[in-house]
Amino acid sequence: MKTPGGPDAAKRRAGEHAAELVTDGDTVGLGTGSTAAHAIRALGRAVDDGLDVRGVATSYASRDLAREVGIPLVGLDGVERLDIAIDGADQVSDELALIKGGGAAHAREKVVDAAAERFVVVADPSKEAATLDRPVPVEVLPDARATVQRAIRDLDGTPTLRTGKGKDGPVVTDNGNLVLDCAFGAIGTPDALATDLATIPGVVAHGLFVGLADEVHVGTADGVTVRS
Ligand code: 5RP
């Protein structure tokens, strides 16, 4: 089904709907990506109207946007827990398992989203899937690239080094690391794969978020559906 206004309208509906969950005094995780950006802009408007919040950015991009729209920020190293985090996803399964990292921000996103009392995912319908099957972004220490690639192949995955746009050579993350996009086909047991990836020496963070999302807000043709 086509979404009136196209995918960006659906992303905006989802982002603005989730931003309404933020209340006075909250510490808010600010996700990365085009859908989370709609939530950040909506929060900026709410701050203009008097909402008292502090944001925790998950990337240079979300930090810059939050500054632009006037959301007061606190560094991730200055918080132990957050009240709520609003973040996008590249794929969402029926069980609310996620693949994230399309923006290579999943290492900080996972810290922020996992530390939130309430982790709200915002998405358009194209992100929904019965079973996760997109390549999983894996952030690796630059010097561990070859050993991690071998370990991924041992797990029957196919790793591809992510390369930049507007830059020759690999994407370098906000943390100074590289990203391998790892295809595994249909991921039947995301929790098991998440554990396998996390235990590979040299892996900083992978983009499987299992058991973290509390709810998913999906922008639709005429509103927003919420799954939890
Ligand atoms: C960044 C992410 C993003 O949340 C994900 O890529 C979704 O982006 P968009 O909302 O632009 O589709 O995980 O690392």
Side-chain angles (χ1 to χ4, degrees):
M1 182 178 66
K2 283 203 171 172
T3 307
D8 192 61
K11 290 178 180 193
R12 181 174 50 73
R13 285 186 198 108
E16 292 180 350
H17 195 259
E20 287 173 12
L21 301 174
V22 178
T23 57
D24 238 17
D26 278 354
T27 301
V28 189
L30 305 173
T32 297
S34 54
T35 320
H38 285 296
I40 295 173
R41 288 193 199 95
L43 272 179
R45 291 192 290 274
V47 167
D48 283 345
D49 290 342
L51 184 73
D52 175 25
V53 293
R54 54 183 196 158
V56 181
T58 53
S59 61
Y60 289 139
S62 64
R63 185 196 63 186
D64 288 352
L65 179 58
R67 282 182 177 157
E68 186 186 316
V69 300
I71 300 172
L73 290 172
V74 60
L76 178 53
D77 59 351
V79 296
E80 287 183 0
R81 56 171 288 282
L82 296 88
D83 297 289
I84 185 169
I86 303 172
D87 203 349
D90 299 301
Q91 204 166 36
V92 183
S93 78
D94 287 349
E95 286 78 33
L96 306 194
L98 315 175
I99 291 177
K100 287 188 49 56
H106 51 289
R108 286 179 61 96
E109 288 175 328
K110 195 175 277 187
V111 176
V112 169
D113 298 344
E117 291 292 319
R118 187 176 184 180
F119 171 26
V120 180
V121 179
V122 287
D124 66 89
S126 71
K127 307 297 181 55
E128 295 186 292
T131 303
L132 300 178
D133 61 3
R134 284 179 59 102
V136 179
V138 177
E139 179 167 344
V140 300
L141 294 174
D143 287 349
R145 170 174 150 189
T147 57
V148 173
Q149 281 178 321
R150 195 214 61 222
I152 297 287
R153 289 192 192 99
D154 287 348
L155 293 173
D156 293 329
T158 304
T160 302
L161 181 69
R162 193 180 295 183
T163 53
K165 289 200 180 91
K167 170 190 177 293
D168 290 338
V171 164
V172 178
T173 70
D174 291 358
N175 313 305
N177 298 312
L178 306 180
V179 175
L180 300 172
D181 290 304
C182 302
F184 293 97
I187 302 172
T189 52
D191 47 349
L193 181 58
T195 302
D196 286 341
L197 292 173
T199 50
I200 298 172
V203 167
V204 175
H206 60 75
L208 278 173
F209 287 37
V210 183
L212 292 181
D214 294 300
E215 59 206 83
V216 180
H217 293 222
V218 181
T220 66
D222 51 5
V224 176
T225 58
V226 178
R227 289 197 283 131
S228 58

